[in-house]
Amino acid sequence: MLRFLNRKNRSPSGLLIGLARRWMSAKTTVMSFGDGSQGALGLAASRMSLDCDAYEPTPIPGLPPDVCSLTAGHYHSLAVTSQGQVWAWGRNSESQLGRGQLSPRETWSKPQKVEGLNQVRIQAAFASGVISAAIGDDGTLWVWGKSKRGQLGLGKDVTEAVLPARVESLLGQEIVKVSLGWGHALALTKDGKLFGWGYYADGRLGKIGKLLEASPLDSVAEKVKPASINSNLMVETAEKLVLEAIEKEKEMPVIWEPTLVEELFDVKVVDVACGLDHSLVLCSDGALLSGGSNVYGQLGRVKEDLGLHQVDLRQRPMSIASGLGHSLAICKHMSSESGEDSRSVITWGWNQSSQLGREGPENVPLVVDSLVDEMPISVSGGRVHSLAVTAKQEVWSWGCGRNGRLGLGSSVDEPEPMLVECLGGREVLQAVSGFDHNLVLVAE
């Protein structure tokens, strides 16, 4: 996933971008592993099932040999080629594959080129659960899919785009990155401005001329989150509470078009990352801000105020990422042994399946010790697992191993980062996580 920082403090994932660009004229292979129930792996179905899981990275057939970047949505996948095309596969119930019409379920796992983008050369793509987005080489933003919460950003009450549509309200802005949550979206411009739209409860979009409101779902989550699973609260009662909260959320207002985030008018933003219902914003001065739901401590700060406020982080972040309910950052620090600059992975938030990769308080940003000597250059978070790519072009995974989502050949959970050994000898250019699946780009 692309991240942009100022030249002085170049993002470690910029190293990955450089690696990818080196191979734009050479062959690349896309591999996948994890849960295949929605077709997001892009692998052929087995005789027993329409979709199958993959317990180790497996090459995806049918893709062009010049893929240069990947994006994993919650249940679907996108690939961008050096020719500026976008290919998509996986869940298509909300038209997020850009195929012009709802395709038969058995075709979801077959990669196909997104329709309706012939007039623009795409340089990057992004995805959520129900929306896909792409940035043209002219800085325009294109979106497709279906969202009742305004995540398309195409105007009031526009909830569906079967084929890619240009976000007209952002014309004149050169967009360089988009990050999508469950119902909200953030877009970063080349000159460091931040636009937000969609569902804005809990201040996940900061202040955009609206009164900040708490999400009704948060009060329910406090009652039914993992710490209280063994309480006397019956499952039926919990389900009723959630359904009631969802009905209340339907009445919450949304922001239908991209709008500047008020509290960042005078701040240059260099990176953004959206979790399911929280946001991370990295500023050029090194300050990391968070906003949205804090049910699992994913905001990483003691201050509980709604809106965007600084994460309690002592290290200087270089790049950021979000899982469903956890947050990750690659931070720069001075090595006590060599006296040279080093990098570490910091995590905080939901840790039910050890997706933080370390022990200690969940709501406090802490170092993943197992990766201290590995020089991480990118991180990615799924529902309950995490990935890291190192300067050695190795992939490490940790957290929930169900359905093979760690790529280690089993369903065993791993509380600490483990090397994905079957990728040994391959030049890994990128690795990204969806909710329960993963994509890896390797050079041939």
Side-chain angles (χ1 to χ4, degrees):
M1 188 174 292
L2 300 180
R3 299 181 178 89
F4 295 80
L5 286 174
N6 55 17
R7 293 181 180 178
K8 183 178 180 181
N9 294 302
R10 187 184 180 191
S11 163
S13 59
L15 297 176
L16 280 181
I17 299 169
L19 287 171
R21 285 173 178 164
R22 273 177 49 205
W23 294 97
M24 285 183 72
S25 60
K27 285 185 62 177
T28 55
T29 295
V30 180
M31 308 178 79
S32 64
F33 58 94
D35 188 340
S37 63
Q38 300 287 333
L41 299 183
L43 303 177
S46 69
R47 294 181 180 180
M48 302 298 293
S49 172
L50 289 176
D51 304 291
C52 56
D53 300 334
Y55 287 76
E56 292 183 347
T58 305
I60 300 176
L63 281 169
D66 64 334
V67 172
C68 57
S69 69
L70 301 170
T71 294
H74 296 174
Y75 305 109
H76 72 291
S77 305
L78 302 174
V80 179
T81 71
S82 63
Q83 301 301 311
Q85 299 175 344
V86 182
W87 289 64
W89 61 97
R91 179 184 172 95
N92 197 37
S93 295
E94 295 80 23
S95 301
Q96 56 265 61
L97 299 188
R99 296 183 178 179
Q101 58 185 357
L102 293 181
S103 53
R105 176 70 171 75
E106 58 269 20
T107 67
W108 287 5
S109 61
K110 182 180 180 180
Q112 294 182 26
K113 188 173 73 170
V114 173
E115 300 175 15
L117 289 172
N118 293 333
Q119 69 274 46
V120 62
R121 185 185 179 97
I122 299 301
Q123 62 179 8
F126 309 89
S128 67
V130 295
I131 296 296
S132 297
I135 297 173
D137 58 3
D138 57 357
T140 55
L141 178 62
W142 300 74
V143 295
W144 61 97
K146 183 186 299 185
S147 171
K148 296 180 180 179
R149 298 176 180 275
Q151 201 176 28
L152 287 169
L154 296 175
K156 184 171 176 57
D157 297 326
V158 178
T159 60
E160 183 177 13
V162 176
L163 291 176
R166 189 172 62 184
V167 181
E168 299 294 330
S169 60
L170 285 175
L171 288 181
Q173 304 291 338
E174 187 172 352
I175 306 300
V176 294
K177 181 177 180 180
V178 175
S179 190
L180 302 161
W182 175 48
H184 69 293
L186 292 172
L188 176 62
T189 68
K190 185 177 181 179
D191 56 359
K193 291 182 289 189
L194 188 64
F195 290 81
W197 65 95
Y199 184 58
Y200 69 89
D202 306 316
R204 66 194 68 179
L205 294 179
K207 298 176 182 177
I208 307 184
K210 304 286 185 179
L211 178 65
L212 296 179
E213 302 181 52
S215 167
L217 280 172
D218 270 7
S219 61
V220 175
E222 286 288 353
K223 300 175 184 177
V224 298
K225 63 183 180 180
S228 61
I229 283 178
N230 296 321
S231 68
N232 294 325
L233 184 64
M234 300 300 290
V235 173
E236 294 81 2
T237 303
E239 290 179 347
K240 181 180 179 181
L241 288 171
V242 170
L243 290 173
E244 290 176 352
I246 290 176
E247 286 301 314
K248 291 180 180 178
E249 276 206 326
K250 291 180 180 178
E251 302 173 3
M252 298 286 284
V254 300
I255 297 169
W256 291 97
E257 292 185 342
T259 307
L260 275 172
V261 179
E262 287 184 11
E263 61 260 61
L264 299 177
F265 278 172
D266 299 322
V267 177
K268 183 177 181 180
V269 176
V270 293
D271 200 4
V272 293
C274 294
L276 188 75
D277 49 15
H278 78 288
S279 304
L280 300 176
V281 178
L282 181 58
C283 305
S284 60
D285 62 0
L288 178 59
L289 310 178
S290 63
S293 173
N294 198 31
V295 169
Y296 300 112
Q298 63 264 51
L299 298 188
R301 52 180 167 86
V302 174
K303 189 171 185 177
E304 293 284 353
D305 294 7
L306 299 181
L308 296 171
H309 299 282
Q310 191 156 347
V311 174
D312 299 330
L313 188 62
R314 289 176 294 179
Q315 300 89 341
R316 185 183 179 93
M318 302 177 70
S319 66
I320 52 178
S322 295
L324 182 151
H326 68 292
S327 304
L328 309 95
I330 293 179
C331 295
K332 184 177 181 180
H333 60 88
M334 186 74 70
S335 172
S336 58
E337 296 182 2
S338 64
E340 298 179 352
D341 287 343
S342 185
R343 302 187 189 115
S344 58
V345 174
I346 312 290
T347 60
W348 62 97
W350 193 26
N351 199 33
Q352 183 181 14
S353 298
S354 301
Q355 59 264 45
L356 297 187
R358 47 83 175 173
E359 297 180 346
E362 298 178 1
N363 63 331
V364 178
L366 294 175
V367 173
V368 179
D369 290 331
S370 299
L371 293 173
V372 167
D373 298 322
E374 299 300 333
M375 191 61 75
I377 57 177
S378 76
V379 286
S380 186
R383 184 198 305 268
V384 282
H385 77 288
S386 304
L387 296 180
V389 178
T390 69
K392 297 178 183 178
Q393 293 177 277
E394 297 174 334
V395 177
W396 294 70
S397 62
W398 62 96
C400 178
R402 186 178 179 183
N403 306 107
R405 69 191 72 178
L406 297 184
L408 302 174
S410 75
S411 293
V412 176
D413 294 355
E414 295 293 347
E416 295 182 351
M418 298 290 291
L419 177 65
V420 182
E421 294 183 350
C422 61
L423 287 170
R426 291 182 175 271
E427 296 186 73
V428 175
L429 305 178
Q430 188 184 18
V432 293
S433 299
F435 264 10
D436 308 313
H437 76 288
N438 310 272
L439 304 173
V440 181
L441 181 65
V442 298
E444 292 298 324

